[in-house]
């Protein structure tokens, strides 16, 4: 990260003994010292409007678009011109879980030979970050609309799941990964930030109507 000019390191439930004993390369100790720890991925990526996962793919049945690093870098740089972006890495042993992948908008795969598709974590990070800085011209075209953050999308996801539960929809279509499917669907909508608040207001109103509870304050939400 220090080599390529990136400073914001966020860790989700790092293994305590290893994290306490971790040492950085020369000149990069400040990044490790300032690393932020979070209890969940949703918290770690809350202020990001784009969450990009990394995967070796292998035999996994992925539900996301998968891009090569050089093409993914262009989309990341365009978004970085207006908001925060999270580049998500899993463990070397198991990679990202399906639940973690459900928080991602799309994925990056570094091409490797079929005999050994798993890369060392540090090397994978280096390859992805190199692609982000190797051609500064890539990110000059900014996105026109500021999109909703991961935190806003997660709140919409939770409200939508509550509404689906209250309506009985989830009882009619019982699937083990319904939360992950709904989370992926919401992220595919590419909601602008200005629309996210309206979506939350509409879903809260629907929930109130179905549950006949206390009427929400919609004027403060729109």
């Amino acid at each position: 990260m220090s080599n390529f000019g990136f400073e914001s390191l966020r860790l989700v439930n790092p293994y305590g003994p290893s994290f306490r004993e971790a040492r950085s390369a020369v000149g990069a100790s400040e990044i490790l010292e300032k690393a932020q720890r979070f209890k969940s991925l949703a918290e770690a990526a809350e202020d990001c409007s784009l969450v990009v996962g990394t995967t070796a793919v292998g035999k996994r049945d992925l539900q996301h678009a998968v891009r090569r690093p050089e093409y993914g870098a262009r989309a990341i740089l365009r978004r970085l011109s207006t908001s925060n972006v999270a580049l998500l890495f899993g463990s070397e042993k198991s990679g990202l879980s399906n639940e973690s992948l459900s928080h991602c908008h799309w994925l990056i795969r570094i091409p490797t030979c079929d005999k050994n598709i798993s890369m060392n974590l540090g090397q994978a990070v280096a390859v992805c970050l190199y692609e982000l800085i190797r051609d500064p011209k890539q990110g000059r075209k900014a996105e026109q609309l500021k999109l909703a953050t991961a935190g806003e999308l997660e709140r919409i996801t939770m409200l939508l799941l509550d509404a689906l539960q209250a309506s009985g929809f989830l009882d009619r279509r019982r699937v083990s990964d319904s939360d992950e499917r709904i989370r992926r669907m919401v992220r595919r909508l590419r909601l602008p930030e200005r629309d996210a608040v309206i979506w939350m207001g509409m879903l809260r109103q629907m929930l109130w109507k179905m549950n006949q509870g206390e009427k929400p304050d919609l004027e403060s939400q729109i």
Side-chain angles (χ1 to χ4, degrees), residues 22-96:
R23 298 291 182 272
S24 73
V26 176
S29 59
E30 189 173 354
I31 292 177
L32 196 56
E33 290 170 2
K34 292 183 177 180
Q36 295 176 277
R37 286 181 282 182
F38 296 87
K39 293 181 179 180
S40 70
L41 176 53
E43 291 179 273
E46 183 176 15
D47 63 341
C48 300
S49 70
L50 175 63
V51 180
V52 179
T54 54
T55 179
V57 182
K59 298 180 180 179
R60 303 183 73 161
D61 181 20
L62 298 174
Q63 305 298 317
H64 296 77
V66 181
R67 302 178 181 180
R68 289 169 59 108
E70 62 268 37
Y71 304 126
R74 297 172 188 173
I76 290 173
L77 287 170
R78 286 195 296 270
R79 188 67 63 82
L80 274 174
S81 64
T82 58
S83 60
N84 292 335
V85 174
L87 187 55
L88 182 62
F89 296 87
S91 69
E92 290 183 19
K93 183 177 181 180
S94 58
L96 294 170

Side-chain angles (χ1 to χ4, degrees), residues 101 156 202:
L101 289 175
I156 291 172
M202 291 190 298

